[in-house]
Structure formats: structure tokens, C-alpha cells
Amino acid sequence: MLKKWIKVLVGCALLSSSLLFTSTSVHAAAPSVFVNGELQGKAITVNERTLVKLRALTDPEWLVFAYDPKTRIVMFHTKDNRIKVELREGEKTATVNGKKVPIDAAVVNKGGLTYIPIRFISETLGAYVKYFAEDNRVIVRTPRYETLMQGDLTKARLVAMGLPKIQGDAPAPESGEGYHSRGYIFPEGEALRFIFNDAGYSYGYYEVNEQGMAILKWQYDDVAEREWGTKPAFKRSVYFDDFFMSGLFNYGTMDAEGKRKELGSFKPEQSYSNIAMPIEGEKRTDARPEPEAPQGKIKK
């Protein structure tokens, strides 16, 4: 059973502005919404309420979905069956564990996707939600975030590999020819820092921040022969190389001088997929405690 890690996080900015991600001024911009570090470009605002795609919450460790096209009812439940929900398009109520629950904005179906209000996600589904006033940004986290920050090292690395890579102010690397491989290098015992090798044409060093985003800190563009940022120094590290054009995957360890020791090689069932292998004797050293947040009630 999933441990009850879920918290409704409401910062002082929320309480003072009565947001729950709503706007008190017609001139205020709608917040950007990130779910597990991924920007939800198709989040919508209805009557000053922010709604996000239900599918954006897809997490195999958390929610299981079903849809009945005849009744237009979306059904889903937590993997442990603790919470069971039914939603119908256009209605401002949901059925949660057999009981009717009001929703502050009607469920919207747009382009075949179901959108639900942030308030429902936080209060009923129990997702970890926090508003960052300085960036006008809403962060939504499912249990994948806990895995990334505190969980098993191999699973955390898989989550890190799947995070959107935020380039920031770095110049876009120039394209090469014949992309045939990609790889990840992690410091020994860590999942929240890594170097991404894009077929040898460019290398990017990323650090995962508290919001669960992979932020670029250093980049070397081999095509343009251009370096940006500060290159990290790893004492010992592990590497995972996917040679997708040849259908081969290699992994192993590497010392501070870059000398590699291969520990395994195989043909994966699916090419061009994120793969991380457990390394014998390796223990996680970078687990972060779950950040505490002030508690409070969300204003209507």
C-alpha cells in the first residue's frame, strides 16, 4: 500500500492572494503548471480556475484509468484502491468512494482529453501541490517525485532520465549527422545529477532542483566547439549507453580519469528507451528529505 506521503501544500502567497491558482485580477497571468517537472502546455483556465489534463497525472505507481465513451464518465483509482473516483464531463461534482463531492469548476473535455481543477487534484486526489508566487508557477507531484528524491537508486535514475531537460540561457547545440546513440553518466550513488551524452555531438550536465526539474548547468557542443557553464568533476561514476541504431545497451563504472569498466551488455527489448541497471554494492547517497510546507486551508 502506498504510504500516505501526500500533502496539500499551501504557501503564504496562496493564503494572502486567495489563489488556489485563481486570479484576483483580470490582468493577472494564469500560472504555468508543471507535473513531475513537465510543463503542461495545454493547461486551461475556466472562470479563473486552472485545470490540468487528467492524463498528465499518469503514474503507474499511483493512478489507474478507465473511460466509458457511451456515458462520458472517466473512472480512476489509486493503485491501492484507497481512492476511487468517477467524473463526468460538464459536471461540477465527482463521485469519490461512492459519495458525491463538489468541484469548484466543471470537468472539461477538450480534444478528447479530460481536464480537472487543481483544487480537486490537491484536496481529493491528495497530490502534492505548491504555488511559487515568484515564478507564478504551480508544481504538482505524484509519487514519482518521492521516488526521484528519496527512493531506490535505480528507480530514481529512471525517473531522472525521463525528466524534461531545461536549457535555460544556454545556446541550443548545433545538429550533427547520423545520431546513433545516447547515454547517461551519474556520479556514484547519485540520481539527482547527471551528464547526458547525445551521440557525442553534445554533452549536458543537469542538476535536479527541489521542484523536480532537470536544470542545465554545463554544456559542451562538439559540433560548434563551444562550451557553456562550468563542467562538473565526478570522482567515480556509472554510465548507461544506448546504441539504439545497433540495438545494443552497455553499462558499467568509470573512474575520475574517464577509464571505463564494462559490467554488462545486452540487446534491450525496446530501443531508444530509458534504461538504468542496478550496480552491485552501490548505495544511494543523495536522497533528499521531503520538504516541509506550511499547512492551511485553501480559500474558495
Side-chain angles (χ1 to χ4, degrees), residues 270-283:
Q270 183 177 352
S271 62
Y272 206 80
S273 58
N274 293 325
I275 301 175
M277 301 297 295
I279 306 299
E280 185 177 358
E282 189 182 22
K283 296 182 179 180

Side-chain angles (χ1 to χ4, degrees), residues 12-141:
C12 294
L14 271 176
L15 294 175
S16 61
S17 62
S18 32
L19 264 173
L20 195 97
F21 324 127
T22 69
S23 227
T24 56
S25 167
V26 295
H27 301 292
S32 54
V33 180
F34 289 80
V35 178
N36 291 329
E38 184 173 356
L39 175 63
Q40 299 303 307
K42 293 185 178 180
I44 61 176
T45 302
V46 178
N47 295 328
E48 298 185 330
R49 300 289 179 178
T50 300
L51 290 81
V52 67
K53 291 182 297 183
L54 184 58
R55 284 291 178 183
L57 305 176
T58 298
D59 184 335
E61 297 299 320
W62 186 35
L63 293 181
V64 179
F65 294 88
Y67 177 68
D68 186 341
K70 293 182 179 180
T71 61
R72 293 189 174 183
I73 292 177
V74 177
M75 298 161 284
F76 57 94
H77 60 85
T78 53
K79 195 173 181 180
D80 60 2
N81 286 315
R82 185 173 55 85
I83 302 174
K84 298 180 180 180
V85 178
E86 289 187 4
L87 295 168
R88 188 192 297 269
E89 176 187 346
E91 293 190 356
K92 296 183 71 173
T93 59
T95 303
V96 181
N97 293 337
K99 297 181 180 180
K100 292 290 185 180
V101 175
I103 305 176
D104 66 327
V107 175
V108 173
N109 186 287
K110 183 178 179 181
L113 299 172
T114 301
Y115 290 78
I116 58 177
I118 292 280
R119 181 189 294 275
F120 182 77
I121 295 171
S122 62
E123 292 184 338
T124 306
L125 295 184
Y128 181 113
V129 178
K130 187 172 182 179
Y131 176 68
F132 291 83
E134 62 273 18
D135 302 316
N136 193 26
R137 175 182 295 169
V138 179
I139 301 299
V140 181
R141 298 166 181 159

